Each structure stands twice: as C-alpha cells, then as structure tokens.
Amino acid sequence: MGSEIQMPTLTTAQWQRMLTYGTAQQTSVGDFVFRSGDAEYDLILVDSGEVEVVRDALGWVEEAVIAPMGPRSFVGELGLLNGQGAFLSARVTQAGTVYRVTRAELRRLMAEDDELCDIVLHTLWARREHLRRGPAALTLKLVGTASSPELMSLRRFAERLDLVHSAYEITPEDREYLAHHDFTTEDLPVAFIQGEPLVRATPGLVADRLGLSYQAVADAVVDLVVVGAGPAGLAAAIYGASEGLSTVLLDAVAPGGQAATTSRIENFLGFPFGVSGADLIGQASLQALKFGVRVYAPCEAVDLTPVGDDLLDITLTDGRVIRARSAIVTSGAAYRRLPLDRWSEFEGAGIYYAATQLELRQVLESPVVVVGGANSAGQASLYLAANGCPVRLVVRGSDLGSRMSSYLVDRLLEDPRVEVHTGSRIVALGGESSLDRVSIDSVGDVSARGLFCFIGADPATSWLSSLDRDVDGFLRTGVDIAALGMQWRALGREPLPFETSLPRVFAAGDVRRGSMKRVAAAVGEGSSAVASVHRALAG
C-alpha cells in the first residue's frame, strides 16, 4: 500500500457519499483500527488525523511502515472482498475521526454506487499489485526444496489466488537454514504466516489459516453454487451474482482451470494481440469479487444430493455441506498422463501440465520437450521458445494441422527454435531427483529439463455418478439426456438448456457432453446456463 500508489482524488460529494456507508469512531495516537491476523476487519475511511499501515515485526525482520494515510483516504486491501483476514496492521499516528465500513456495507456501496465502486476496486487492485513487490510479501513466506512438487503446488495456489507472498527454495547448500529454524527436510514445505511456521504445509491448510476456506453458517441457503472456477465457472458465477443470485464459487485447486495455464490465447474476442490465460483469469476473478461472488479454494466437492423438492446439498472433502437452491457443474477435466515408468516421480520435478512463468522459472532456458497435438501444445511450444528454451514438440499423429489451428502450425514450422517430431511417441524418462532426459521413439534420448504434457483431459465427474453421463464420463444436458426420472413428471417440464438429469443441477464447459473445448465457448456456456437457472428457480 506504499507511497508509490497515489490515492484517488475524491471530490467532496464523493467523499460524503462514502461516509454514509460508515460508522464514525474517534481515534487516539497509538490506537489500532485493525491488526494483522484479524479474521474480520473494516474498510477505514480517514476523515481527519492519520493512520499508518505497517507490516508487523516477524521475528527475523523488524516492523516495516508501508504507507501513511491522511484525510480523505481509505485504508484497506483486496482481501476485504474475498474474506481474507488482515495481514497488515493499521495504527493511528495523528488523532482524529475515522469511519468504519463493514464488509457488508462495502458490498452495498459497490452494488449501489457505480462511480464509488470503480474507484474502490481500482484502488484495492492497484494496492494488491504493489504489495506483492514490497515488504508485505513476507507475511506469507513459502519455503521448500527446489523443484519440489509440494512447493510448486503451494506457489501455484498463491499465484492463482493472487495472494501477497514470497517463496524461498532451499538448495543442498542451505542446510544451515533448516538448522537455524529447527526444521528437518520432513517438515518441508513450510509456510510462514505472520512469522509463525506451518510445517508440511498444503494449499488447504494455508487457506484455512488465511480465512479463505468455506465456513458453514447454520441454516444458510445460497441461490447458486458453481463447482469449478475455470472460464465457464467464473462466467456463471459473475452472471449469477450480477443478476442478484447469492453465489458461491468452489474450485479444488484455485480459480482458472486449464485456461490459467495457457501461455497465450490469441483467438479470444476483444484481444487482437492475444492475452495470457493468467491475465484473463485474473481479471475475471477480480470481476467476480466485484459482484460479491464468494470464492473458496482449494475447496473440492465430493457429493451432490437433492434435499426435499427444491434444495441441494453439496458436500466438501472435509465433510462441510453447502445448501443451495441450484448448482452449475463446471468442474472441467483432469489432465491425462503418459503410461511411463517414473511419471509420478517426476511430476512437479520436470513434468508439467502448464507453461506459465511459474514453470518457466524451473527450466531456465534449458532444452524442453512438449507433447501433444492441439492448440495448447502449440501455444506452449511458442511461449517456451520465445523465452529461450530449445523446444522439441512431439506429436503422435502424422498431420500437425489435424487438431491444431492453422495460424499456430504456420508459426511453429517457421520458428527455428522449435523442432517438430510428428508420428512420434515418448517412451522413457530419465534423471536422478529431477528429469534431465526424455526418450523419443523416432529420435532416441534427448536432453530435457522439462516435459510439458498437453495430451488432453478426462471429465472430472466421478463424484457425480447419479447423473446421466456418456461412455466417456461427460455430463448429458438438455435434450441430450438419455432417460428422465420420476422427478421430472412431478415438475411437469423437461430439462432446460444446460440442465442435467437432476433438476436444478446444470453443467457447462469442458465437463459437458458436446462442448467445444474452447475458452470463448466455455464463457458462453457458463453465462447461458445462468439464464436456465433463473427459469428453474422461477418455476
């Protein structure tokens, strides 16, 4: 929240409107208007006096002042919109008057006043971007061994949720680091949260500690639960919330799905120069927060059961239950793996299912192999090559253009940094603790610091065995449903577009039979499914 960020200049009229959403409080020097670790805290409007934002001392570093905030400024950060607890403190340095805007009132402000909503959202987003590069990043510090799959999982979770954090990779020469903190290698990875170590950390444990996990509220019923936060799920959640439905969005990993792992999307409407999957998903996630979507991740659904005539129970892995009036399943698909010895051993230590900056840092301009024949493999190959990696693209089929867009084929064949091997298969993997070579049947052994796998995915529907699926596991919807149960006769209607064989449960995106497996199509399906949700709930 540092001095590099200029607070928006608010007119007297704008400031007076903001004050109407708050409750006045007199302050004295030394008061804290909120402290790091507070699960609930307010947006603070500084009407007079001054409040400084600080990162508390963490044991190994002293306190750091992030920024002073004077009159007509507001103190708060993007975590206010997604339920994250405070990771910074705000201390009064000049006595005066502040106005406290609760999270509920902040939601009301953003729903009622478009002008103030834009000002607040732009400011909170800019602050988050700045905080990620400053001393606040030490409030969540992830420590693990280099190329550790567990550390990669934590970093991917933190980056996809846009958490303010830092990461430190321990090398064999860093044994003193472990000894100094009284840790062993079995304790890794460790997440330092406000200076307190969380050993053998997982994304779920970190999310619980940060207040990002779903917390059941007695007798609470939401209008819509969206299961899966890829493009289809984000679109469904945004359209549902923007049209007045209380909406919960769940994802087993973090928002984005496979789209977040795509290095460059060039055929998405409105982006003539292309857009990275991470940027597209980041903006969509911000949009979801703007409209009041409650986003929980990692949060995996394991069961969906009808309750009575008009409610559904969505059960999570930890046994918690979300009760809803409707659900949209956008759980996407799980990455396919090659049937090779040592595959699981090298996952996260040389084998990757995405080509983003996170994975790029692991291969460091070294030779890599990409396997797959569709657009995602072509885009990954070009991205890796453009960032200094010699690339071998392995395609099982003989025709590169059979499943890949022609513009990608042309660019791949013209790029001297990419060597294409059609009619080829990977037959073996090699290396000690991490991958360093790959065997291709048409070439033999080649050096490879990374193997990027884009060979498709299987629908994530095993938890929905009671719903009508095709032989490959994709959910049937609408007129495609093979047979209707007795509950439909009582309803007196047939399934709506995108509705599954269970009333008020819909499906969109890659998980649905007949979907196009494209980002733009997934966005369209997710938003269109909401129209059917409204019709079902109105009936």
Side-chain angles (χ1 to χ4, degrees), residues 360 363 365-371 377-394 412 415-421 440 446-447 450 452:
L360 185 64
V363 293
E365 300 184 349
S366 301
V368 298
V369 173
V370 177
V371 58
Q379 290 159 344
S381 297
L382 291 171
Y383 173 74
L384 292 163
N387 284 278
C389 294
V391 177
R392 292 179 184 268
L393 173 60
V394 178
L412 286 166
D415 196 323
R417 301 163 297 187
V418 179
E419 188 171 350
V420 179
H421 303 281
I440 304 171
V446 298
S447 295
F452 293 80

Side-chain angles (χ1 to χ4, degrees), residues 156 160 255-265 276-279 281 335 352-357 359 376 379-380 383 452-454:
R156 184 172 292 111
R160 293 262 289 271
Q258 293 187 61
T261 70
T262 302
S263 53
R264 188 174 178 85
I265 303 170
S276 74
D279 286 344
I281 294 302
Y335 299 115
Y352 307 105
Y353 301 96
T356 68
Q357 287 188 351
E359 290 77 21
S376 55
Q379 290 159 344
Y383 173 74
F452 293 80
C453 187
F454 298 92

Side-chain angles (χ1 to χ4, degrees), residues 311-328:
L311 292 176
L312 304 164
D313 274 355
I314 294 88
T315 304
L316 309 179
T317 49
D318 59 8
R320 285 178 281 194
V321 175
I322 305 175
R323 182 155 290 182
R325 299 174 65 209
S326 65
I328 301 178

Side-chain angles (χ1 to χ4, degrees), residues 479-534:
V479 297
D480 193 36
I481 296 173
L484 298 179
M486 293 296 294
Q487 68 267 47
W488 292 99
R489 184 175 299 175
L491 282 175
R493 66 173 177 85
E494 294 185 346
L496 297 165
F498 303 102
E499 196 165 17
T500 69
S501 57
L502 182 62
R504 288 168 289 102
V505 177
F506 302 80
D510 290 358
V511 76
R512 190 182 70 85
R513 172 184 165 91
S515 64
M516 285 182 60
K517 311 298 186 290
R518 290 288 186 270
V519 173
V523 169
E525 288 193 8
S527 53
S528 297
V530 173
S532 291
V533 168
H534 282 295

Side-chain angles (χ1 to χ4, degrees), residues 216-261:
V217 178
D219 302 321
V221 178
V222 299
D223 294 323
L224 173 63
V225 170
V226 182
V227 183
L234 280 163
I238 289 167
Y239 276 83
S242 68
E243 294 172 2
L245 299 178
S246 57
T247 303
V248 167
L249 176 62
L250 312 175
D251 197 272
V253 181
Q258 293 187 61
T261 70

Side-chain angles (χ1 to χ4, degrees), residues 47-396:
D47 196 41
S48 61
E50 184 180 82
V51 174
E52 66 178 5
V53 179
V54 299
R55 190 216 61 215
D56 293 342
L58 299 176
W60 68 90
V61 290
E62 296 297 320
E63 173 188 287
V65 175
I66 305 295
M69 314 293 280
R72 285 202 187 181
S73 64
F74 49 88
V75 184
E77 146 347 283
L78 198 60
L80 280 166
L81 299 182
N82 69 356
Q84 182 180 357
F87 58 89
L88 300 170
S89 297
R91 181 173 57 212
V92 177
T93 52
Q94 294 179 22
T97 303
V98 302
Y99 283 72
R100 290 185 169 274
V101 181
T102 65
R103 280 175 168 162
E105 286 299 291
L106 178 58
R107 290 285 184 207
R108 189 166 71 88
L109 177 155
M110 298 185 74
E112 294 178 351
D113 194 316
D114 290 342
E115 184 180 36
L116 292 182
C117 174
D118 286 346
I119 291 171
V120 171
L121 193 65
H122 275 293
T123 303
L124 298 187
W125 177 77
R127 287 178 180 176
R128 174 61 66 95
E129 290 301 299
H130 178 71
L131 288 172
R132 296 187 339 154
R133 300 186 294 272
L138 292 178
T139 58
L140 173 60
K141 183 179 180 181
L142 309 175
V143 178
T145 54
S147 300
S148 152
E150 293 79 14
L151 180 61
M152 281 284 290
S153 177
L154 281 172
R155 293 181 68 175
R156 184 172 292 111
F157 157 74
E159 291 190 8
R160 293 262 289 271
L161 280 178
D162 198 24
L163 300 179
V164 176
H165 72 285
S166 58
Y168 181 72
E169 294 185 348
I170 294 177
T171 64
E173 292 75 31
D174 289 330
R175 297 306 179 190
E176 291 184 7
Y177 184 95
L178 292 175
H180 176 72
H181 288 282
D182 197 26
F183 297 142
T184 68
T185 54
E186 286 71 31
D187 293 323
L188 299 174
V190 176
F192 288 92
I193 302 173
Q194 299 296 343
E196 294 297 320
L198 176 64
V199 299
R200 294 179 289 281
T202 65
L205 291 173
V206 173
D208 279 339
R209 190 71 63 87
L210 296 180
L212 296 173
S213 297
Y214 176 76
Q215 301 297 323
V217 178
D219 302 321
V221 178
V222 299
D223 294 323
L224 173 63
V225 170
V226 182
V227 183
L234 280 163
I238 289 167
Y239 276 83
S242 68
E243 294 172 2
L245 299 178
S246 57
T247 303
V248 167
L249 176 62
L250 312 175
D251 197 272
V253 181
Q258 293 187 61
T261 70
T262 302
S263 53
R264 188 174 178 85
I265 303 170
E266 296 198 60
N267 56 359
F268 193 77
L269 182 69
F271 292 91
F273 303 108
V275 59
S276 74
D279 286 344
L280 184 66
I281 294 302
Q283 293 298 300
S285 298
L286 185 63
Q287 198 171 14
L289 296 179
K290 169 184 176 177
F291 287 113
V293 177
R294 284 170 284 173
V295 182
Y296 300 107
C299 202
E300 183 175 2
V302 295
D303 191 38
L304 191 156
T305 308
V307 180
D309 293 330
D310 56 0
L311 292 176
L312 304 164
D313 274 355
I314 294 88
T315 304
L316 309 179
T317 49
D318 59 8
R320 285 178 281 194
V321 175
I322 305 175
R323 182 155 290 182
R325 299 174 65 209
S326 65
I328 301 178
V329 178
T330 56
S331 48
Y335 299 115
R336 289 177 183 158
R337 306 159 73 185
L338 291 173
L340 298 174
D341 290 340
R342 306 186 68 188
W343 185 273
S344 59
E345 180 183 340
F346 288 129
E347 282 184 305
I351 291 177
Y352 307 105
Y353 301 96
T356 68
Q357 287 188 351
L358 180 59
E359 290 77 21
L360 185 64
R361 288 197 291 266
Q362 310 304 312
V363 293
L364 297 173
E365 300 184 349
S366 301
V368 298
V369 173
V370 177
V371 58
N375 280 7
S376 55
Q379 290 159 344
S381 297
L382 291 171
Y383 173 74
L384 292 163
N387 284 278
C389 294
V391 177
R392 292 179 184 268
L393 173 60
V394 178
V395 182
R396 184 174 59 179

Side-chain angles (χ1 to χ4, degrees), residues 426-495:
I426 295 173
V427 294
L429 309 172
E432 298 299 326
S433 59
S434 60
L435 183 75
D436 63 26
R437 64 187 181 278
V438 167
S439 181
I440 304 171
D441 60 1
S442 61
V443 179
D445 285 353
V446 298
S447 295
R449 178 78 173 272
L451 171 59
F452 293 80
C453 187
F454 298 92
I455 59 173
D458 297 311
T461 58
S462 60
W463 62 288
L464 295 167
S465 57
S466 63
L467 300 188
D468 185 16
R469 300 177 292 171
D470 68 12
V471 293
D472 295 315
F474 292 95
L475 293 173
R476 298 180 189 271
T477 57
V479 297
D480 193 36
I481 296 173
L484 298 179
M486 293 296 294
Q487 68 267 47
W488 292 99
R489 184 175 299 175
L491 282 175
R493 66 173 177 85
E494 294 185 346

